[in-house]
Tab-separated table of all heavy atoms in Angstrom:
chain	number	residue	atom	x	y	z
A	1	ILE	N	113.370	47.803	-71.378
A	1	ILE	CA	113.724	48.744	-72.305
A	1	ILE	C	112.924	49.973	-72.225
A	1	ILE	O	111.732	49.867	-72.222
A	1	ILE	CB	113.680	48.100	-73.762
A	1	ILE	CG1	114.580	46.928	-73.932
A	1	ILE	CG2	114.073	49.200	-74.792
A	1	ILE	CD1	114.412	46.121	-75.282
A	2	GLN	N	113.549	51.100	-72.230
A	2	GLN	CA	112.722	52.465	-72.214
A	2	GLN	C	111.977	52.525	-73.415
A	2	GLN	O	112.338	52.051	-74.542
A	2	GLN	CB	113.654	53.569	-71.893
A	2	GLN	CG	114.309	53.497	-70.552
A	2	GLN	CD	115.259	54.690	-70.392
A	2	GLN	OE1	115.620	55.380	-71.312
A	2	GLN	NE2	115.688	54.955	-69.073
A	3	LYS	N	110.890	53.318	-73.342
A	3	LYS	CA	110.023	53.543	-74.486
A	3	LYS	C	110.744	54.093	-75.798
A	3	LYS	O	110.510	53.650	-76.892
A	3	LYS	CB	108.931	54.555	-74.084
A	3	LYS	CG	107.841	54.599	-75.083
A	3	LYS	CD	106.951	53.385	-75.180
A	3	LYS	CE	105.799	53.538	-76.003
A	3	LYS	NZ	105.042	52.382	-76.186
A	4	GLN	N	111.796	55.045	-75.450
A	4	GLN	CA	112.515	55.507	-76.579
A	4	GLN	C	113.321	54.513	-77.262
A	4	GLN	O	113.430	54.454	-78.420
A	4	GLN	CB	113.404	56.653	-76.076
A	4	GLN	CG	114.256	57.352	-77.137
A	4	GLN	CD	115.077	58.442	-76.547
A	4	GLN	OE1	115.188	58.675	-75.349
A	4	GLN	NE2	115.728	59.354	-77.407
A	5	ASN	N	114.052	53.623	-76.439
A	5	ASN	CA	114.866	52.594	-77.024
A	5	ASN	C	113.934	51.583	-77.776
A	5	ASN	O	114.343	51.029	-78.800
A	5	ASN	CB	115.566	51.881	-75.942
A	5	ASN	CG	116.761	52.611	-75.366
A	5	ASN	OD1	117.116	53.640	-76.034
A	5	ASN	ND2	117.180	52.425	-74.200
A	6	GLN	N	112.813	51.334	-77.163
A	6	GLN	CA	111.834	50.362	-77.807
A	6	GLN	C	111.375	50.798	-79.155
A	6	GLN	O	111.387	50.049	-80.169
A	6	GLN	CB	110.654	50.315	-76.888
A	6	GLN	CG	109.682	49.064	-77.222
A	6	GLN	CD	108.498	48.996	-76.160
A	6	GLN	OE1	108.869	49.156	-74.956
A	6	GLN	NE2	107.361	48.706	-76.580
A	7	LYS	N	111.190	52.125	-79.378
A	7	LYS	CA	110.831	52.629	-80.614
A	7	LYS	C	112.083	52.632	-81.641
A	7	LYS	O	111.870	52.356	-82.810
A	7	LYS	CB	110.269	54.150	-80.545
A	7	LYS	CG	108.830	54.248	-80.128
A	7	LYS	CD	108.378	55.672	-80.169
A	7	LYS	CE	106.961	55.722	-79.814
A	7	LYS	NZ	106.311	56.945	-80.046
A	8	GLY	N	113.199	52.949	-81.082
A	8	GLY	CA	114.394	52.842	-81.876
A	8	GLY	C	114.663	51.495	-82.404
A	8	GLY	O	114.996	51.302	-83.599
A	9	ILE	N	114.500	50.521	-81.560
A	9	ILE	CA	114.638	49.018	-82.085
A	9	ILE	C	113.608	48.757	-83.079
A	9	ILE	O	113.969	48.239	-84.119
A	9	ILE	CB	114.571	48.113	-80.847
A	9	ILE	CG1	115.693	48.281	-79.902
A	9	ILE	CG2	114.404	46.662	-81.336
A	9	ILE	CD1	115.641	47.643	-78.605
A	10	GLY	N	112.363	49.112	-82.950
A	10	GLY	CA	111.375	48.929	-83.889
A	10	GLY	C	111.633	49.574	-85.241
A	10	GLY	O	111.362	48.964	-86.277
A	11	GLN	N	112.150	50.894	-85.168
A	11	GLN	CA	112.440	51.576	-86.389
A	11	GLN	C	113.538	50.932	-87.120
A	11	GLN	O	113.542	50.730	-88.388
A	11	GLN	CB	112.730	53.025	-86.010
A	11	GLN	CG	111.516	53.818	-85.669
A	11	GLN	CD	111.912	55.240	-85.046
A	11	GLN	OE1	113.010	55.529	-84.877
A	11	GLN	NE2	110.855	56.000	-84.888
A	12	ARG	N	114.610	50.426	-86.322
A	12	ARG	CA	115.676	49.739	-86.960
A	12	ARG	C	115.177	48.458	-87.622
A	12	ARG	O	115.668	48.051	-88.752
A	12	ARG	CB	116.775	49.485	-85.898
A	12	ARG	CG	117.987	48.791	-86.487
A	12	ARG	CD	118.699	49.736	-87.515
A	12	ARG	NE	119.780	49.006	-88.055
A	12	ARG	CZ	120.232	48.977	-89.291
A	12	ARG	NH1	119.443	49.583	-90.222
A	12	ARG	NH2	121.244	48.325	-89.774
A	13	LEU	N	114.429	47.694	-86.994
A	13	LEU	CA	113.803	46.505	-87.453
A	13	LEU	C	113.020	46.775	-88.844
A	13	LEU	O	113.229	46.072	-89.816
A	13	LEU	CB	112.844	45.820	-86.437
A	13	LEU	CG	112.110	44.630	-87.028
A	13	LEU	CD1	112.926	43.495	-87.566
A	13	LEU	CD2	111.120	44.062	-85.928
A	14	ARG	N	112.291	47.838	-88.872
A	14	ARG	CA	111.565	48.110	-90.018
A	14	ARG	C	112.532	48.532	-91.189
A	14	ARG	O	112.359	48.050	-92.354
A	14	ARG	CB	110.578	49.248	-89.785
A	14	ARG	CG	109.906	49.738	-91.026
A	14	ARG	CD	108.759	50.756	-90.794
A	14	ARG	NE	108.341	51.481	-91.859
A	14	ARG	CZ	107.539	51.006	-92.881
A	14	ARG	NH1	107.243	49.794	-92.820
A	14	ARG	NH2	107.211	51.827	-93.823
A	15	THR	N	113.486	49.207	-90.896
A	15	THR	CA	114.514	49.585	-91.918
A	15	THR	C	115.225	48.306	-92.460
A	15	THR	O	115.310	48.199	-93.642
A	15	THR	CB	115.579	50.571	-91.264
A	15	THR	OG1	114.912	51.775	-90.876
A	15	THR	CG2	116.758	50.894	-92.210
A	16	LEU	N	115.623	47.396	-91.509
A	16	LEU	CA	116.347	46.180	-91.939
A	16	LEU	C	115.318	45.336	-92.864
A	16	LEU	O	115.775	44.804	-93.872
A	16	LEU	CB	116.751	45.352	-90.699
A	16	LEU	CG	118.090	45.754	-90.122
A	16	LEU	CD1	118.246	44.975	-88.820
A	16	LEU	CD2	119.229	45.397	-91.102
A	17	ARG	N	114.082	45.302	-92.453
A	17	ARG	CA	113.116	44.435	-93.118
A	17	ARG	C	112.985	45.009	-94.520
A	17	ARG	O	113.033	44.317	-95.562
A	17	ARG	CB	111.748	44.474	-92.502
A	17	ARG	CG	110.667	43.723	-93.246
A	17	ARG	CD	109.453	43.601	-92.399
A	17	ARG	NE	108.795	44.842	-92.140
A	17	ARG	CZ	108.168	45.681	-93.009
A	17	ARG	NH1	108.051	45.280	-94.207
A	17	ARG	NH2	107.585	46.833	-92.600
A	18	LEU	N	112.906	46.367	-94.658
A	18	LEU	CA	112.671	47.033	-95.949
A	18	LEU	C	113.857	46.901	-96.825
A	18	LEU	O	113.863	46.576	-98.172
A	18	LEU	CB	112.222	48.407	-95.816
A	18	LEU	CG	110.924	48.742	-95.221
A	18	LEU	CD1	110.742	50.100	-94.979
A	18	LEU	CD2	109.843	48.035	-96.189
A	19	GLU	N	115.123	47.012	-96.381
A	19	GLU	CA	116.399	46.871	-96.964
A	19	GLU	C	116.596	45.514	-97.575
A	19	GLU	O	117.350	45.303	-98.548
A	19	GLU	CB	117.541	47.244	-96.033
A	19	GLU	CG	117.703	48.718	-95.752
A	19	GLU	CD	118.869	49.025	-94.878
A	19	GLU	OE1	119.396	48.177	-94.166
A	19	GLU	OE2	119.062	50.210	-94.526
A	20	ASN	N	116.083	44.473	-96.857
A	20	ASN	CA	116.106	43.117	-97.258
A	20	ASN	C	114.904	42.646	-98.057
A	20	ASN	O	114.713	41.471	-98.309
A	20	ASN	CB	116.316	42.239	-96.062
A	20	ASN	CG	117.649	42.370	-95.453
A	20	ASN	OD1	118.577	41.662	-95.882
A	20	ASN	ND2	117.859	43.180	-94.569
A	21	ASP	N	114.044	43.572	-98.441
A	21	ASP	CA	112.915	43.276	-99.304
A	21	ASP	C	111.939	42.181	-98.695
A	21	ASP	O	111.471	41.434	-99.460
A	21	ASP	CB	113.356	42.903	-100.736
A	21	ASP	CG	114.017	43.975	-101.451
A	21	ASP	OD1	113.613	45.150	-101.275
A	21	ASP	OD2	115.101	43.800	-102.107
A	22	PHE	N	111.815	42.309	-97.457
A	22	PHE	CA	110.764	41.418	-96.691
A	22	PHE	C	109.578	42.135	-96.588
A	22	PHE	O	109.570	43.353	-96.137
A	22	PHE	CB	111.318	40.963	-95.434
A	22	PHE	CG	112.147	39.888	-95.294
A	22	PHE	CD1	113.534	40.036	-94.959
A	22	PHE	CD2	111.764	38.660	-95.447
A	22	PHE	CE1	114.369	38.893	-94.903
A	22	PHE	CE2	112.549	37.473	-95.468
A	22	PHE	CZ	113.868	37.649	-95.133
A	23	HIS	N	108.405	41.545	-96.883
A	23	HIS	CA	107.081	42.104	-96.371
A	23	HIS	C	106.934	41.521	-94.975
A	23	HIS	O	107.639	40.575	-94.576
A	23	HIS	CB	106.010	41.587	-97.298
A	23	HIS	CG	106.056	42.200	-98.659
A	23	HIS	ND1	105.566	43.404	-98.985
A	23	HIS	CD2	106.458	41.641	-99.729
A	23	HIS	CE1	105.756	43.616	-100.194
A	23	HIS	NE2	106.337	42.585	-100.787
A	24	VAL	N	106.072	42.107	-94.160
A	24	VAL	CA	105.918	41.763	-92.781
A	24	VAL	C	105.567	40.303	-92.614
A	24	VAL	O	106.103	39.523	-91.880
A	24	VAL	CB	104.752	42.652	-92.008
A	24	VAL	CG1	104.619	42.184	-90.580
A	24	VAL	CG2	105.241	44.002	-92.082
A	25	VAL	N	104.596	39.878	-93.533
A	25	VAL	CA	104.245	38.475	-93.678
A	25	VAL	C	105.427	37.509	-93.875
A	25	VAL	O	105.578	36.488	-93.269
A	25	VAL	CB	103.095	38.234	-94.533
A	25	VAL	CG1	102.684	36.743	-94.704
A	25	VAL	CG2	101.806	38.942	-94.161
A	26	GLU	N	106.290	37.902	-94.847
A	26	GLU	CA	107.345	37.078	-95.195
A	26	GLU	C	108.384	36.955	-93.983
A	26	GLU	O	108.871	35.882	-93.749
A	26	GLU	CB	108.024	37.652	-96.441
A	26	GLU	CG	107.272	37.614	-97.661
A	26	GLU	CD	107.887	38.396	-98.845
A	26	GLU	OE1	108.461	39.434	-98.541
A	26	GLU	OE2	107.721	37.956	-99.967
A	27	LEU	N	108.572	38.086	-93.287
A	27	LEU	CA	109.429	37.966	-92.256
A	27	LEU	C	108.823	37.189	-91.046
A	27	LEU	O	109.594	36.324	-90.486
A	27	LEU	CB	109.890	39.404	-91.684
A	27	LEU	CG	110.794	39.548	-90.573
A	27	LEU	CD1	112.062	38.844	-90.837
A	27	LEU	CD2	111.057	40.983	-90.163
A	28	ALA	N	107.654	37.304	-90.861
A	28	ALA	CA	107.032	36.501	-89.820
A	28	ALA	C	107.155	34.930	-90.142
A	28	ALA	O	107.545	34.181	-89.293
A	28	ALA	CB	105.562	36.751	-89.607
A	29	THR	N	106.865	34.679	-91.414
A	29	THR	CA	107.075	33.236	-91.871
A	29	THR	C	108.568	32.802	-91.690
A	29	THR	O	108.744	31.602	-91.258
A	29	THR	CB	106.576	33.104	-93.385
A	29	THR	OG1	105.191	33.484	-93.407
A	29	THR	CG2	106.808	31.580	-93.755
A	30	ALA	N	109.553	33.608	-92.041
A	30	ALA	CA	110.902	33.210	-91.910
A	30	ALA	C	111.297	32.999	-90.526
A	30	ALA	O	112.036	32.123	-90.141
A	30	ALA	CB	111.730	34.311	-92.532
A	31	MET	N	110.721	33.796	-89.617
A	31	MET	CA	110.953	33.621	-88.197
A	31	MET	C	110.251	32.385	-87.685
A	31	MET	O	110.793	31.614	-86.856
A	31	MET	CB	110.487	34.853	-87.401
A	31	MET	CG	111.355	36.090	-87.712
A	31	MET	SD	110.744	37.559	-86.871
A	31	MET	CE	111.075	37.280	-85.227
A	32	GLN	N	109.057	32.143	-88.071
A	32	GLN	CA	108.402	30.869	-87.706
A	32	GLN	C	109.154	29.619	-88.173
A	32	GLN	O	109.234	28.638	-87.432
A	32	GLN	CB	107.046	30.810	-88.340
A	32	GLN	CG	106.092	31.843	-87.746
A	32	GLN	CD	104.816	32.031	-88.531
A	32	GLN	OE1	104.624	31.481	-89.577
A	32	GLN	NE2	103.873	33.037	-88.048
A	33	LEU	N	109.669	29.669	-89.268
A	33	LEU	CA	110.505	28.436	-89.759
A	33	LEU	C	111.736	28.361	-88.894
A	33	LEU	O	112.398	27.172	-88.907
A	33	LEU	CB	110.944	28.751	-91.271
A	33	LEU	CG	109.772	28.593	-92.259
A	33	LEU	CD1	110.280	29.010	-93.612
A	33	LEU	CD2	109.184	27.194	-92.227
A	34	ARG	N	112.130	29.329	-88.124
A	34	ARG	CA	113.316	29.269	-87.243
A	34	ARG	C	112.855	28.963	-85.789
A	34	ARG	O	113.656	29.256	-84.832
A	34	ARG	CB	114.172	30.462	-87.378
A	34	ARG	CG	114.925	30.553	-88.744
A	34	ARG	CD	115.443	31.804	-89.126
A	34	ARG	NE	116.182	31.798	-90.327
A	34	ARG	CZ	115.637	31.835	-91.626
A	34	ARG	NH1	114.337	31.841	-91.782
A	34	ARG	NH2	116.451	31.812	-92.646
A	35	GLY	N	111.684	28.620	-85.679
A	35	GLY	CA	111.076	28.178	-84.272
A	35	GLY	C	110.539	29.272	-83.417
A	35	GLY	O	110.380	29.099	-82.381
A	36	CYS	N	110.299	30.505	-84.058
A	36	CYS	CA	109.737	31.515	-83.294
A	36	CYS	C	108.284	31.715	-83.647
A	36	CYS	O	107.973	32.069	-84.796
A	36	CYS	CB	110.578	32.852	-83.597
A	36	CYS	SG	110.114	34.280	-82.632
A	37	ASN	N	107.450	31.590	-82.684
A	37	ASN	CA	105.966	31.699	-82.803
A	37	ASN	C	105.587	33.098	-82.847
A	37	ASN	O	105.380	33.741	-81.782
A	37	ASN	CB	105.277	30.954	-81.743
A	37	ASN	CG	103.878	30.829	-81.943
A	37	ASN	OD1	103.324	31.092	-82.995
A	37	ASN	ND2	103.078	30.517	-80.990
A	38	ILE	N	105.695	33.747	-83.994
A	38	ILE	CA	105.349	35.267	-84.104
A	38	ILE	C	104.387	35.475	-85.264
A	38	ILE	O	104.333	34.692	-86.215
A	38	ILE	CB	106.618	35.966	-84.383
A	38	ILE	CG1	106.403	37.417	-84.092
A	38	ILE	CG2	107.255	35.694	-85.700
A	38	ILE	CD1	107.769	38.235	-83.864
A	39	THR	N	103.596	36.474	-85.196
A	39	THR	CA	102.735	36.800	-86.273
A	39	THR	C	102.944	38.103	-86.888
A	39	THR	O	103.794	38.867	-86.383
A	39	THR	CB	101.214	36.887	-85.668
A	39	THR	OG1	101.133	37.961	-84.764
A	39	THR	CG2	100.702	35.615	-84.945
A	40	ARG	N	102.259	38.312	-87.945
A	40	ARG	CA	102.519	39.683	-88.648
A	40	ARG	C	102.135	40.764	-87.682
A	40	ARG	O	102.731	41.840	-87.677
A	40	ARG	CB	101.628	39.690	-89.929
A	40	ARG	CG	101.714	41.046	-90.682
A	40	ARG	CD	100.485	41.176	-91.636
A	40	ARG	NE	99.264	41.433	-90.945
A	40	ARG	CZ	98.938	42.617	-90.471
A	40	ARG	NH1	99.674	43.692	-90.547
A	40	ARG	NH2	97.697	42.846	-89.854
A	41	GLU	N	101.032	40.568	-87.062
A	41	GLU	CA	100.498	41.674	-85.997
A	41	GLU	C	101.518	41.957	-85.037
A	41	GLU	O	101.663	43.157	-84.646
A	41	GLU	CB	99.125	41.188	-85.467
A	41	GLU	CG	98.020	41.141	-86.376
A	41	GLU	CD	97.922	39.887	-87.191
A	41	GLU	OE1	98.703	38.835	-86.935
A	41	GLU	OE2	97.087	39.730	-88.118
A	42	THR	N	102.145	40.953	-84.445
A	42	THR	CA	103.190	41.165	-83.505
A	42	THR	C	104.365	41.949	-83.993
A	42	THR	O	104.921	42.810	-83.358
A	42	THR	CB	103.770	39.777	-82.878
A	42	THR	OG1	102.469	39.118	-82.401
A	42	THR	CG2	104.805	39.881	-81.864
A	43	LEU	N	104.849	41.603	-85.221
A	43	LEU	CA	105.943	42.312	-85.811
A	43	LEU	C	105.535	43.805	-86.112
A	43	LEU	O	106.384	44.662	-85.759
A	43	LEU	CB	106.413	41.761	-87.268
A	43	LEU	CG	107.245	40.503	-87.133
A	43	LEU	CD1	107.401	39.954	-88.477
A	43	LEU	CD2	108.500	40.819	-86.530
A	44	VAL	N	104.323	44.060	-86.443
A	44	VAL	CA	103.866	45.425	-86.593
A	44	VAL	C	104.031	46.293	-85.265
A	44	VAL	O	104.396	47.399	-85.191
A	44	VAL	CB	102.430	45.558	-87.255
A	44	VAL	CG1	101.864	46.867	-87.060
A	44	VAL	CG2	102.453	44.968	-88.725
A	45	LYS	N	103.492	45.563	-84.145
A	45	LYS	CA	103.637	46.144	-82.853
A	45	LYS	C	105.094	46.401	-82.509
A	45	LYS	O	105.340	47.508	-81.886
A	45	LYS	CB	102.920	45.233	-81.794
A	45	LYS	CG	101.366	45.162	-81.874
A	45	LYS	CD	100.775	44.288	-80.876
A	45	LYS	CE	99.248	44.185	-81.133
A	45	LYS	NZ	98.651	43.310	-80.164
A	46	ILE	N	105.994	45.418	-82.630
A	46	ILE	CA	107.314	45.710	-82.385
A	46	ILE	C	107.826	46.897	-83.175
A	46	ILE	O	108.606	47.730	-82.633
A	46	ILE	CB	108.169	44.309	-82.613
A	46	ILE	CG1	107.764	43.232	-81.593
A	46	ILE	CG2	109.680	44.717	-82.520
A	46	ILE	CD1	108.360	41.868	-81.921
A	47	GLU	N	107.606	46.868	-84.448
A	47	GLU	CA	108.157	48.058	-85.376
A	47	GLU	C	107.523	49.315	-84.964
A	47	GLU	O	108.250	50.399	-85.029
A	47	GLU	CB	107.756	47.777	-86.747
A	47	GLU	CG	108.601	46.600	-87.435
A	47	GLU	CD	108.345	46.455	-88.913
A	47	GLU	OE1	107.334	47.258	-89.445
A	47	GLU	OE2	108.907	45.618	-89.587
A	48	SER	N	106.301	49.477	-84.277
A	48	SER	CA	105.832	50.641	-83.947
A	48	SER	C	106.096	51.015	-82.476
A	48	SER	O	105.625	52.106	-82.027
A	48	SER	CB	104.328	50.634	-84.102
A	48	SER	OG	103.709	49.698	-83.313
A	49	GLY	N	106.877	50.154	-81.851
A	49	GLY	CA	107.304	50.490	-80.476
A	49	GLY	C	106.130	50.128	-79.433
A	49	GLY	O	106.287	50.543	-78.286
A	50	LYS	N	105.194	49.402	-79.791
A	50	LYS	CA	104.065	49.141	-78.897
A	50	LYS	C	104.351	47.736	-78.165
A	50	LYS	O	103.554	47.383	-77.286
A	50	LYS	CB	102.826	49.078	-79.606
A	50	LYS	CG	102.333	50.383	-80.131
A	50	LYS	CD	101.107	50.335	-80.943
A	50	LYS	CE	100.768	51.736	-81.473
A	50	LYS	NZ	99.564	51.652	-82.390
A	51	ARG	N	105.355	47.025	-78.542
A	51	ARG	CA	105.603	45.797	-77.803
A	51	ARG	C	107.119	45.545	-77.706
A	51	ARG	O	107.898	45.914	-78.626
A	51	ARG	CB	105.022	44.632	-78.624
A	51	ARG	CG	105.197	43.276	-77.941
A	51	ARG	CD	104.656	42.193	-78.896
A	51	ARG	NE	104.882	40.834	-78.531
A	51	ARG	CZ	106.025	40.145	-78.600
A	51	ARG	NH1	107.138	40.795	-79.059
A	51	ARG	NH2	106.107	38.961	-78.127
A	52	HIS	N	107.593	45.028	-76.572
A	52	HIS	CA	108.994	44.606	-76.420
A	52	HIS	C	109.332	43.495	-77.456
A	52	HIS	O	108.455	42.672	-77.653
A	52	HIS	CB	109.159	44.337	-75.029
A	52	HIS	CG	109.261	45.481	-74.076
A	52	HIS	ND1	108.067	45.832	-73.533
A	52	HIS	CD2	110.149	46.335	-73.798
A	52	HIS	CE1	108.300	46.899	-72.702
A	52	HIS	NE2	109.577	47.131	-72.875
A	53	ILE	N	110.564	43.403	-77.708
A	53	ILE	CA	111.095	42.269	-78.447
A	53	ILE	C	111.808	41.299	-77.570
A	53	ILE	O	112.499	41.758	-76.644
A	53	ILE	CB	111.941	42.681	-79.638
A	53	ILE	CG1	112.287	41.521	-80.616
A	53	ILE	CG2	113.302	43.384	-79.110
A	53	ILE	CD1	112.878	41.981	-81.878
A	54	THR	N	111.617	39.963	-77.741
A	54	THR	CA	112.262	38.953	-76.730
A	54	THR	C	113.601	38.579	-77.353
A	54	THR	O	113.874	38.724	-78.693
A	54	THR	CB	111.366	37.770	-76.610
A	54	THR	OG1	111.192	37.040	-77.914
A	54	THR	CG2	109.930	38.124	-76.223
A	55	ILE	N	114.371	37.904	-76.561
A	55	ILE	CA	115.646	37.405	-76.884
A	55	ILE	C	115.453	36.351	-78.109
A	55	ILE	O	116.151	36.366	-79.121
A	55	ILE	CB	116.454	36.746	-75.811
A	55	ILE	CG1	116.757	37.843	-74.738
A	55	ILE	CG2	117.711	36.056	-76.344
A	55	ILE	CD1	117.625	38.944	-75.286
A	56	LYS	N	114.416	35.416	-77.966
A	56	LYS	CA	114.157	34.439	-78.911
A	56	LYS	C	113.878	35.080	-80.248
A	56	LYS	O	114.188	34.608	-81.324
A	56	LYS	CB	113.019	33.534	-78.528
A	56	LYS	CG	112.668	32.373	-79.382
A	56	LYS	CD	111.717	31.463	-78.733
A	56	LYS	CE	111.590	30.303	-79.616
A	56	LYS	NZ	110.736	29.246	-79.112
A	57	GLU	N	113.118	36.192	-80.220
A	57	GLU	CA	112.749	36.947	-81.454
A	57	GLU	C	113.952	37.589	-82.048
A	57	GLU	O	114.050	37.512	-83.325
A	57	GLU	CB	111.571	37.933	-81.126
A	57	GLU	CG	110.312	37.366	-80.808
A	57	GLU	CD	109.327	38.356	-80.147
A	57	GLU	OE1	109.731	39.298	-79.720
A	57	GLU	OE2	108.133	37.807	-79.948
A	58	LEU	N	114.792	38.110	-81.227
A	58	LEU	CA	116.085	38.683	-81.793
A	58	LEU	C	116.911	37.614	-82.460
A	58	LEU	O	117.446	37.845	-83.576
A	58	LEU	CB	116.952	39.359	-80.655
A	58	LEU	CG	116.392	40.757	-80.229
A	58	LEU	CD1	117.229	41.141	-78.969
A	58	LEU	CD2	116.621	41.765	-81.324
A	59	ILE	N	116.978	36.532	-81.892
A	59	ILE	CA	117.765	35.355	-82.471
A	59	ILE	C	117.190	34.930	-83.898
A	59	ILE	O	117.871	34.798	-84.831
A	59	ILE	CB	117.958	34.221	-81.577
A	59	ILE	CG1	118.764	34.570	-80.262
A	59	ILE	CG2	118.511	32.991	-82.233
A	59	ILE	CD1	118.782	33.682	-79.110
A	60	ALA	N	115.889	34.906	-83.933
A	60	ALA	CA	115.242	34.461	-85.174
A	60	ALA	C	115.427	35.598	-86.192
A	60	ALA	O	115.616	35.207	-87.432
A	60	ALA	CB	113.749	34.145	-84.816
A	61	LEU	N	115.366	36.858	-85.773
A	61	LEU	CA	115.646	37.928	-86.713
A	61	LEU	C	117.004	37.800	-87.315
A	61	LEU	O	117.227	38.015	-88.500
A	61	LEU	CB	115.337	39.250	-86.061
A	61	LEU	CG	113.956	39.656	-85.934
A	61	LEU	CD1	113.855	40.840	-84.906
A	61	LEU	CD2	113.244	40.078	-87.210
A	62	LYS	N	117.991	37.560	-86.418
A	62	LYS	CA	119.373	37.596	-86.700
A	62	LYS	C	119.502	36.413	-87.851
A	62	LYS	O	120.089	36.651	-88.885
A	62	LYS	CB	120.230	37.149	-85.624
A	62	LYS	CG	121.767	36.887	-85.844
A	62	LYS	CD	122.369	36.320	-84.588
A	62	LYS	CE	123.465	35.367	-84.732
A	62	LYS	NZ	123.452	34.344	-85.686
A	63	GLU	N	118.828	35.253	-87.722
A	63	GLU	CA	119.064	34.163	-88.511
A	63	GLU	C	118.296	34.605	-89.931
A	63	GLU	O	118.770	34.263	-90.951
A	63	GLU	CB	118.412	32.918	-87.937
A	63	GLU	CG	119.345	32.391	-86.732
A	63	GLU	CD	118.667	31.224	-86.064
A	63	GLU	OE1	117.567	30.811	-86.402
A	63	GLU	OE2	119.245	30.780	-85.071
A	64	ALA	N	117.110	35.200	-89.791
A	64	ALA	CA	116.374	35.530	-90.996
A	64	ALA	C	117.123	36.514	-91.787
A	64	ALA	O	117.042	36.419	-93.084
A	64	ALA	CB	114.980	36.074	-90.553
A	65	PHE	N	117.789	37.513	-91.189
A	65	PHE	CA	118.470	38.489	-91.914
A	65	PHE	C	120.016	38.064	-92.224
A	65	PHE	O	120.673	38.795	-92.909
A	65	PHE	CB	118.476	39.831	-91.240
A	65	PHE	CG	117.180	40.517	-91.175
A	65	PHE	CD1	116.763	40.998	-89.881
A	65	PHE	CD2	116.439	40.883	-92.245
A	65	PHE	CE1	115.585	41.720	-89.798
A	65	PHE	CE2	115.367	41.513	-92.289
A	65	PHE	CZ	114.804	41.859	-90.979
A	66	LYS	N	120.342	36.895	-91.677
A	66	LYS	CA	121.686	36.514	-91.839
A	66	LYS	C	122.772	37.486	-91.402
A	66	LYS	O	123.638	37.801	-92.275
A	66	LYS	CB	121.962	35.949	-93.282
A	66	LYS	CG	121.005	34.869	-93.736
A	66	LYS	CD	121.209	34.442	-95.112
A	66	LYS	CE	120.298	33.275	-95.373
A	66	LYS	NZ	119.365	33.431	-96.407
A	67	CYS	N	122.598	38.088	-90.220
A	67	CYS	CA	123.535	39.097	-89.753
A	67	CYS	C	123.995	38.741	-88.377
A	67	CYS	O	123.397	37.838	-87.711
A	67	CYS	CB	122.953	40.461	-89.830
A	67	CYS	SG	121.555	40.702	-88.686
A	68	ASN	N	124.835	39.527	-87.822
A	68	ASN	CA	125.325	39.390	-86.395
A	68	ASN	C	124.544	40.323	-85.582
A	68	ASN	O	124.213	41.389	-85.921
A	68	ASN	CB	126.835	39.751	-86.251
A	68	ASN	CG	127.707	38.674	-86.978
A	68	ASN	OD1	127.377	37.539	-87.081
A	68	ASN	ND2	128.692	39.183	-87.724
A	69	LEU	N	124.296	39.950	-84.279
A	69	LEU	CA	123.792	40.838	-83.324
A	69	LEU	C	124.713	41.843	-82.739
A	69	LEU	O	125.810	41.550	-82.768
A	69	LEU	CB	123.100	39.978	-82.138
A	69	LEU	CG	121.916	39.260	-82.392
A	69	LEU	CD1	121.494	38.364	-81.193
A	69	LEU	CD2	120.729	40.164	-82.884
């Protein structure tokens, strides 16, 4: 993913998280319960565009937000 797309994905993730009233720790916990080994720090890096998101993480996010990809 290009850097611009990476930041766009991170910004969209942050928007979704806030719209769903999740704190970063709560979202990380929800993803962990769905089998995704992720930390608060990792989510912050994804939201800021400093780290790529994996398919497994996208699937866990989809389930945590109860939405379609």
